[in-house]
Amino acid sequence: MASLSQVMEGFDSYRLGYVAQSLTLGVSAGHTCRLAGATPQRLESLIAQNLEELQRLLEFNASRGIEVFRIGSSLIPFGSHPVNTLSWWKTFGRDFEHLARIARRSNQRLSMHPSPAGASLSSRHARVREASLAELRYSARVLDLLEAGPESRVVLHVGGAAPTREEARVAAHRFLDEMPESLRERLTIEHDDKVWSAREVLPLAREHGVPMVGDNLHNAVLASTPVMSLKELLREAASTWTALDLRPKFHLASQRPQARAGAHSDRVDPADFRKMVAALPVPADLMLEAKEKDVAVFALRQLANARRGRRGGVGAPAP
């Protein structure tokens, strides 16, 4: 297996990103409130605060050379809920234009990821499907307002498998078939660690021309049948992106010790990082799903810099 320093010599073959919150800044751009307190005045104040914090996050990323970032789903509190009656996309239109300029000039690939409870593909119930569509429309609108390119996607899980796996699979296909093309073009589907394995999700993604996010930890916890190696997972998932002329994106996480299977650790184990990068079939983006967010990105950089420094090499971008 390649050493971490050897892996980092191919730094241009991948980019590292983090999720929603900078621990360095103490900023999340995800302030919200209880449904009972979601008055128009309260929501407008929270949106203004979140957009100001998002600006700080994007500027921080630009200054640290971080080009992959996931925006939290609470950027617009109750953005898909009927309680939010604000035309927030109009009221804050200029703010979004400013944020778009920051992201564009610093080449940041943005994404969003609704919770499985907020949006899924496989439910047969009209109410659940309507709520999912509302959440996807909201998330896609945020990316559109930020003038994000086609590589910027809303990450979505398939959902549950009730009442049977086959009926849930049919429901997911039907949902994607009936979805407006403009919305489907903002989606990427991810396999999970409880219900749908990578080998089950790949055909769904391919049939509908939607790329799939491969996740190393999910693949380890919920193995496919037959088992799919990490190398095969990345190769097959990458092909769903490259077929659309898009740079692949994957999730990278490590198992939290002495926790439930699939729980994310504070940082990414360097061994998991080495395996992931060594298995990449093409240049790609790696979203670190780690509790320590941006600090986890910097930890990998610092470790690589220390090893490369001992070899007299040039380090990766400093934190």
Side-chain angles (χ1 to χ4, degrees):
M1 182 183 297
S3 69
L4 184 59
S5 57
Q6 289 172 322
V7 163
M8 289 301 293
E9 287 177 354
F11 188 78
D12 288 343
S13 70
Y14 64 90
R15 300 183 299 180
L16 303 179
Y18 67 100
V19 176
Q21 177 185 11
S22 165
L23 298 190
T24 304
L25 294 179
V27 165
S28 69
H31 301 282
T32 188
C33 62
R34 292 181 180 274
L35 181 61
T39 64
Q41 295 78 13
R42 178 62 172 150
L43 292 175
E44 188 165 334
S45 174
L46 288 168
I47 293 168
Q49 180 181 5
N50 286 344
L51 292 181
E52 186 277 330
E53 290 192 2
L54 180 57
Q55 177 176 334
R56 292 177 62 191
L57 286 163
L58 296 180
E59 290 174 342
F60 172 79
N61 293 345
S63 70
R64 299 303 195 277
I66 295 175
E67 297 180 336
V68 183
F69 180 66
R70 181 191 301 167
I71 299 168
S73 291
S74 295
L75 179 72
I76 308 298
F78 299 101
S80 65
H81 194 284
V83 74
N84 189 338
T85 59
L86 299 172
S87 297
W88 51 268
W89 55 93
K90 295 179 180 177
T91 303
F92 295 96
R94 290 189 176 181
D95 299 88
F96 276 103
E97 289 175 4
H98 180 60
L99 293 169
R101 286 193 293 271
I102 297 171
R104 185 169 56 249
R105 69 172 177 247
S106 54
N107 197 36
Q108 294 188 52
R109 180 179 188 171
L110 306 175
S111 62
M112 296 188 75
H113 192 348
S115 73
S120 66
L121 295 173
S122 62
S123 177
R124 300 179 305 152
H125 301 292
R127 178 181 55 82
V128 175
R129 294 164 75 83
E130 289 168 5
S132 294
L133 271 177
E135 182 68 19
L136 295 176
R137 288 193 187 102
Y138 151 64
S139 301
R141 170 171 266 170
V142 169
L143 295 179
D144 289 344
L145 287 166
L146 292 170
E147 301 174 19
E151 75 287 347
S152 293
R153 299 272 168 152
V154 181
V155 183
L156 187 64
H157 290 290
V158 175
T164 67
R165 297 188 74 81
E166 185 53 31
E167 287 174 284
R169 197 188 323 270
V170 168
H173 279 288
R174 184 171 65 250
F175 197 5
L176 287 167
D177 277 335
E178 296 173 352
M179 187 179 295
E181 184 177 359
S182 59
L183 184 54
R184 189 166 56 246
E185 289 176 347
R186 272 296 184 202
L187 296 186
T188 178
I189 308 175
E190 180 186 7
H191 57 115
D192 62 76
D193 59 0
K194 296 180 177 65
V195 184
W196 299 98
S197 70
R199 205 175 289 282
E200 292 174 299
V201 174
L202 268 167
L204 181 68
R206 286 184 173 133
E207 180 170 332
H208 298 277
V210 176
M212 188 185 90
V213 170
D215 185 302
N216 71 310
L217 185 56
H218 289 173
N219 192 54
V221 173
L222 182 62
S224 294
T225 304
V227 171
M228 181 177 283
S229 68
L230 179 61
K231 186 174 183 179
E232 183 184 3
L233 170 69
L234 300 191
R235 183 183 70 243
E236 297 302 315
S239 70
T240 66
W241 293 92
T242 56
L244 301 172
D245 199 26
L246 298 174
R247 182 181 174 103
K249 179 183 174 185
F250 305 116
H251 291 172
L252 172 58
S254 294
Q255 173 65 45
R256 187 176 189 84
Q258 299 179 331
R260 66 165 181 82
H264 294 153
S265 64
D266 290 343
R267 300 184 182 183
V268 171
D269 187 324
D272 291 330
F273 176 53
R274 287 196 297 269
K275 292 174 184 176
M276 191 79 162
V277 176
L280 289 177
V282 292
D285 293 334
L286 306 179
M287 178 63 74
L288 303 193
E289 295 196 321
K291 298 295 185 182
E292 293 192 2
K293 311 292 184 178
D294 57 322
V295 174
V297 173
F298 299 144
L300 287 180
R301 287 181 172 182
Q302 289 170 345
L303 181 58
N305 278 333
R307 295 192 179 193
R308 292 185 62 149
R310 290 195 293 270
R311 298 173 63 239
V314 178

